[in-house]
């Protein structure tokens, strides 16, 4: 028998089946987020958060209504390119101050994040503040977390309809008030409210108000944790500022495991259990719906809700508090904690330097600006007296909030004649345009071009304000 025949006999017939692979429906692959029903919790950190939220919310609502010297104290008038901050008026020429302020804010955020983690998100972020306010409306109208869950599961009836309608109405009204107040920082707040409620607002103003109102309604009412998890850039780069000595909300794994249910009278140590009774309250009170027992997660906003919930359970079980607490990775590992460290000192030094430079910039800011525009038709001309004359347009910007009188002069020319006003009164926070010219005997000029300086001085017995601006005086060829 040949080798080929032997191989043929040795073959085993394997039945072939046609397997049909069903591709899943693309729509079914997407799983919408589960609704998070945040459970109410009380405790030290929640009281602290509520008081801070109330303080800054009141500050946000009241600041546009404050006045200073008869004007709105804070007005960021973008239309007129003028920013008023109490006694300080900033113009586009003062954008360096704004740059210093942004740099200072960035390093302050770095410093706080390195030291206390993501506390900005948990205690001060407007998204968090407004989300908790909207949740408060939910609790008052629809009930507790379990009641809200049952209400959403049941069919639409009159009870469900009026509760949902009232909740969304309250959300919209609060969002509208928020939007009106916010727009009041960029336009006179009295006119914003009066024109809106009397239907006298312009189309652009009304569109802006409703746009911000619906943004607030959508962000705090519907999107909530989506903003924190997927849209906020701070959640993505915060870990770059963390180290093993950063205070964050953490679960003490060594103390808590093994977790499991037990009665208060049982000796859980003898049962081989840790202090965690696996009640899941830390998950139920979390506004982003995470389980802090899984370790540090970028979704955690450091609000401390799980800390208060766990401390309450530990107190009822007569266990030591702090199973979930603000702590550091080094402390959880039993190592020495370094609260004062090189990175923190570096941020603090930069903060001090930046703050000093900002204060120096503000204190040395001259409250007047002078722009010089030459006549564009001809650089120089000869007038009827035989003198060489140059024509200028001076734009005097009074950056202060008081009406001031200024005196103008020129340095660099001998025996010149000033044609126009040399003393002008400029109203507060306004620009004065002064057309003028200077004429000189041609024998006083040494060349085709002479460097000169315009000098503007404040006419006052109290303040000595002086500013110079370079320019050129041209001779005829």
């Amino acid at each position: 028998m040949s080798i080929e025949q032997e191989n043929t006999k040795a073959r085993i017939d394997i039945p072939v089946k046609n397997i049909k692979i069903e591709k899943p429906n693309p729509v079914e692959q997407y799983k919408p987020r589960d609704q998070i029903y945040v459970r109410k919790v009380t405790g030290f950190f929640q009281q602290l958060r509520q008081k801070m939220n109330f303080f800054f919310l009141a500050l946000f609502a009241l600041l546009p209504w404050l006045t200073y010297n008869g004007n709105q104290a804070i007005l960021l008038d973008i239309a007129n390119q003028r920013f008023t901050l109490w006694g300080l008026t900033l113009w586009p020429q003062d954008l360096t101050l704004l740059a210093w302020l942004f740099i200072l804010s960035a390093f302050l955020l770095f410093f706080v994040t390195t030291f206390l983690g993501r506390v900005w998100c948990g205690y001060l972020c407007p998204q968090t503040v407004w989300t908790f306010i909207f949740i408060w409306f939910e609790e008052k109208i629809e009930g507790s977390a379990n009641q809200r869950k049952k209400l959403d599961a049941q069919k639409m009836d009159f009870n469900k309809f009026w509760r949902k309608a009232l909740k969304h109405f309250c959300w919209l009204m609060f969002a509208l008030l928020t939007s009106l107040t916010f727009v009041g920082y960029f336009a006179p707040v009295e006119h914003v409210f009066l024109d809106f409620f009397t239907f006298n607002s312009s189309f652009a103003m009304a569109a802006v108000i409703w746009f911000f109102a619906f943004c607030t309604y959508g962000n705090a009412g519907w999107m909530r944790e989506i903003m924190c998890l997927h849209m906020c850039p701070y959640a993505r780069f915060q870990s770059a500022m963390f180290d093993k000595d950063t205070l964050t909300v953490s679960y003490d794994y060594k103390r808590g495991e093994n977790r499991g249910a037990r009665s208060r009278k049982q000796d859980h140590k003898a049962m081989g259990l840790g202090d965690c009774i696996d009640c899941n309250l830390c998950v139920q009170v979390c506004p982003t719906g995470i389980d802090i027992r899984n370790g540090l997660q970028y979704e955690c906003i450091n609000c401390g809700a799980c800390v208060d919930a766990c401390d309450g359970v530990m107190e009822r079980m007569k266990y030591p508090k702090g199973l979930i607490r603000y702590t550091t990775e080094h402390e959880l590992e039993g190592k020495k904690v370094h609260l004062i460290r090189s990175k923190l000192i570096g941020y603090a030094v930069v903060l001090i330097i930046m703050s000093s430079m900002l204060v120096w910039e503000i204190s040395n800011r001259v409250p007047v600006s002078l722009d010089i525009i030459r006549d564009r038709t001809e650089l120089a001309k000869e007038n009827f007296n035989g003198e060489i004359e140059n024509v200028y347009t001076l734009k005097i910007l009074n950056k202060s909030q008081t009406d001031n009188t200024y005196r103008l002069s020129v340095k660099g020319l001998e025996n010149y004649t000033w044609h126009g006003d040399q003393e002008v009164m400029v109203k507060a926070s306004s620009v004065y345009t002064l057309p003028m010219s200077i004429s000189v005997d041609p024998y006083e000029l040494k060349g085709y071009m002479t460097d000169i300086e315009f000098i503007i001085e404040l006419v006052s017995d109290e303040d000595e304000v002086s500013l110079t601006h370079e320019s050129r005086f041209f001779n005829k060829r």
Side-chain angles (χ1 to χ4, degrees), residues 25 27 35 77 83 94 104 137 198 246 256 304 320 359 390 465 473:
N25 189 343
V27 178
Q35 177 72 27
D77 192 351
F83 302 153
D94 301 311
L104 182 64
F137 280 113
T198 57
T246 300
V359 171
N390 284 198
V465 177
F473 187 91

Side-chain angles (χ1 to χ4, degrees), residues 374 380 388-390 392 413 438-440 445 447-452 471-475:
R374 295 188 55 86
I388 304 301
E389 185 174 354
N390 284 198
Y392 306 87
L413 292 174
I438 297 174
S439 61
V440 181
L445 301 174
Y448 171 68
M449 183 182 69
T450 304
D451 294 330
I452 62 174
S471 187
R472 304 288 184 272
F473 187 91
F474 290 93
N475 192 2

Side-chain angles (χ1 to χ4, degrees), residues 179-393:
S179 179
L180 287 167
T181 304
F182 179 73
V183 175
Y185 281 89
F186 301 91
V189 65
E190 294 182 357
H191 295 293
V192 170
F193 275 81
L194 184 62
D195 292 347
F196 182 81
F197 288 109
T198 57
F199 303 101
N200 290 321
S201 296
S202 64
F203 175 79
M205 180 65 71
V208 168
I209 292 172
W210 282 112
F211 171 77
F212 283 110
F214 281 112
C215 284
T216 305
Y217 170 76
N219 290 345
W222 292 94
M223 302 185 71
R224 294 189 179 177
E225 76 281 355
I226 293 178
M227 296 291 296
C228 302
L229 303 185
H230 305 295
M231 301 182 70
C232 177
Y234 181 49
R236 301 297 175 177
F237 68 76
Q238 59 168 334
S239 58
M241 293 171 272
F242 281 18
D243 56 36
K244 292 189 175 182
D245 290 308
T246 300
L247 285 168
T248 58
V249 174
S250 302
Y251 168 68
D252 193 338
Y253 185 86
K254 294 180 180 179
R255 176 185 158 187
E257 301 298 320
N258 293 316
R259 67 183 80 158
R262 84 293 304 266
S263 70
R264 189 165 52 184
K265 297 179 180 180
Q266 290 178 304
D267 185 1
H268 64 286
K269 299 295 183 182
M271 299 170 61
L273 297 176
D275 286 357
C276 179
I277 67 172
D278 204 18
C279 62
N280 281 333
L281 275 180
C282 55
V283 180
Q284 296 174 27
V285 301
C286 179
T288 58
I290 66 169
D291 190 342
I292 195 63
R293 295 171 296 180
N294 293 332
L296 180 63
Q297 299 153 71
Y298 78 91
E299 297 93 341
C300 177
I301 62 173
N302 263 24
C303 65
C306 56
V307 177
D308 288 329
C310 187
D311 283 347
V313 173
M314 294 296 103
E315 187 176 7
R316 290 192 293 272
M317 296 296 294
K318 296 184 179 179
Y319 296 165
K321 295 181 179 180
L323 178 61
I324 300 176
R325 62 186 184 273
Y326 283 94
T327 185
T328 67
E329 189 175 343
H330 273 158
E331 183 182 358
L332 291 175
E333 294 173 353
K335 299 179 181 179
K336 185 178 179 181
V337 178
H338 301 87
L339 291 179
I340 307 300
R341 49 200 186 275
S342 57
K343 183 192 290 188
L344 209 60
I345 293 174
Y347 285 141
V349 170
V350 173
L351 270 176
I352 294 172
I353 295 174
M354 293 295 177
S355 301
S356 302
M357 296 183 73
L358 178 62
V359 171
W360 181 85
E361 186 86 13
I362 294 175
S363 61
N364 288 275
R365 174 177 175 268
V366 179
V368 63
S369 175
L370 177 63
D371 288 334
I372 301 173
I373 303 173
R374 295 188 55 86
D375 184 15
R376 298 178 181 178
T377 56
E378 54 182 342
L379 295 178
K381 64 180 181 179
E382 185 176 347
N383 61 20
F384 62 90
N385 290 326
E387 297 177 329
I388 304 301
E389 185 174 354
N390 284 198
V391 179
Y392 306 87
T393 300

Side-chain angles (χ1 to χ4, degrees), residues 20-68:
K20 183 180 180 181
I21 300 176
E22 295 183 0
K23 295 183 179 181
N25 189 343
V27 178
E28 294 177 353
Q29 295 183 43
Y30 172 74
K31 182 180 182 299
R33 72 184 180 109
D34 295 328
Q35 177 72 27
I36 296 178
Y37 298 90
V38 181
R39 182 168 178 167
K40 185 178 181 181
V41 61
T42 57
F44 171 77
F45 293 108
Q46 297 317 293
Q47 291 180 358
L48 176 63
R49 179 189 57 77
Q50 290 170 4
K51 290 178 181 178
M52 292 182 66
N53 290 173
F54 178 79
F55 172 76
F56 286 104
L57 181 63
L59 196 65
F60 165 78
L62 292 176
L63 278 179
W65 296 96
L66 299 180
T67 58
Y68 183 80

